[in-house]
Amino acid sequence: SANGVFTDKPAITSDINRVSADPEACGPIYLAFSIFDGVMSNGNFRTKLMFTRSIDCGDSWLNPFKINGNVNTNQGLAVAVDPNNGHVYAIWRSLQPNQIMMAKSTNGGLNFSSPAVISGGVFAAFDQPTAPTPDYSFRSNAFPTVAIDAAGRVHVAWQARRSSLGSPLIYGTMSSTGGNTWSPPRPLQPQWSDTPPRGSGWALDGVPAGTTRIAGPQLMPSYVFSRGRLMLLYYEAHGDISPTFF
């Protein structure tokens, strides 16, 4: 709205019921979202991140509460549950400065830890607006994605520039300590061999098979863990082909 007050970008996930012996019992549903609640004195929008849960199949909900602490400019929430213990992780981007943040709940979403930086500091965000001819770009922002594997390792990825004016790659970090420590962020696919994967039907653009290419630009990552496999999907544009990697 004109005064900078509106609700945006919900994220939802769920868990199994960890207290009932009934296999059909509802597990908790977790919902998080952003609220733009005004304009700060410097002219920037102020946002708070809200969290709520339901433990009765969505019939009633906990009063939403703020989880972003004293961080005033936030967006792009992603929420995941550790399948081993039910701990809830909220991951998002702080916009001033550009950092990836985390807060964690160990009591089923009743409260969260103070926000912590997990991106290793400030990163060079790639944010692209929608633009008509002649540029033809689509909106894409450096918001994180998160997945937790069967061993409880937390995987987070986001798009960032290689340098201050460089094209974007997908960067990632991982925690095997319940979010207490994180690996140094790094490009997850900085280069690739120009050989079609098994079963692929893409047409090569005249480059000999096996040629190693510098990857990118890469955009809009999405993590998922299922049946023992951690999968990262994203868009990549290069020459006359546009592979999607798994």
Side-chain angles (χ1 to χ4, degrees), residues 128-140:
Q128 175 177 270
T130 299
T133 180
D135 297 316
Y136 291 115
S137 66
F138 57 89
R139 183 182 178 187
S140 178

Side-chain angles (χ1 to χ4, degrees), residues 3-244:
N3 61 1
V5 178
F6 60 95
T7 302
D8 200 21
K9 288 187 170 51
I12 190 169
T13 192
S14 62
D15 193 14
I16 61 172
N17 191 308
R18 297 177 181 270
V19 296
S20 173
D22 182 357
E24 297 184 0
C26 292
I29 307 169
Y30 300 116
L31 175 67
F33 54 94
S34 305
I35 293 182
F36 286 71
D37 64 350
V39 180
M40 297 185 291
S41 59
N42 61 7
N44 294 319
F45 288 111
R46 181 179 62 243
T47 53
K48 56 186 178 183
L49 304 179
M50 307 299 290
F51 186 90
T52 181
R53 76 169 192 178
S54 172
I55 57 174
D56 56 8
C57 300
D59 289 339
S60 63
W61 293 82
L62 186 72
N63 286 334
F65 60 94
K66 190 175 80 166
I67 64 173
N68 56 283
N70 295 322
V71 184
N72 289 322
T73 54
N74 313 274
Q75 188 58 297
L77 266 167
V79 183
V81 176
D82 188 326
N84 299 287
N85 52 30
H87 293 174
V88 185
Y89 292 79
I91 312 292
W92 71 91
R93 174 183 166 191
S94 163
L95 283 79
Q96 295 174 342
N98 285 313
Q99 297 174 317
I100 303 299
M101 313 293 294
M102 180 211 74
K104 176 183 176 182
S105 173
T106 60
N107 59 5
L110 292 178
N111 52 53
F112 279 78
S113 62
S114 298
V117 178
I118 66 172
S119 56
V122 178
F123 67 95
F126 180 84
D127 296 312
Q128 175 177 270
T130 299
T133 180
D135 297 316
Y136 291 115
S137 66
F138 57 89
R139 183 182 178 187
S140 178
N141 296 105
F143 297 147
T145 179
V146 59
I148 304 176
D149 65 27
R153 293 179 293 247
V154 187
H155 304 265
V156 178
W158 63 93
Q159 65 193 43
R161 295 181 184 272
R162 283 180 266 213
S163 60
S164 60
L165 297 177
S167 64
L169 293 176
I170 306 303
Y171 281 72
T173 182
M174 186 272 290
S175 175
S176 59
T177 60
N180 293 319
T181 58
W182 294 82
S183 63
R186 63 179 180 85
L188 297 179
Q189 183 76 42
Q191 62 185 30
W192 49 273
S193 175
D194 200 357
T195 301
R198 184 177 58 191
S200 172
W202 82 46
L204 298 180
D205 52 1
V207 176
T211 300
T212 298
R213 290 182 183 262
I214 301 299
Q218 299 170 346
L219 297 169
M220 302 173 69
S222 180
Y223 255 141
V224 63
F225 179 81
S226 178
R227 299 191 179 191
R229 290 189 176 187
L230 177 69
M231 294 168 277
L232 174 68
L233 289 79
Y234 58 90
Y235 290 102
E236 177 164 346
H238 200 305
D240 295 331
I241 58 176
S242 296
T244 299

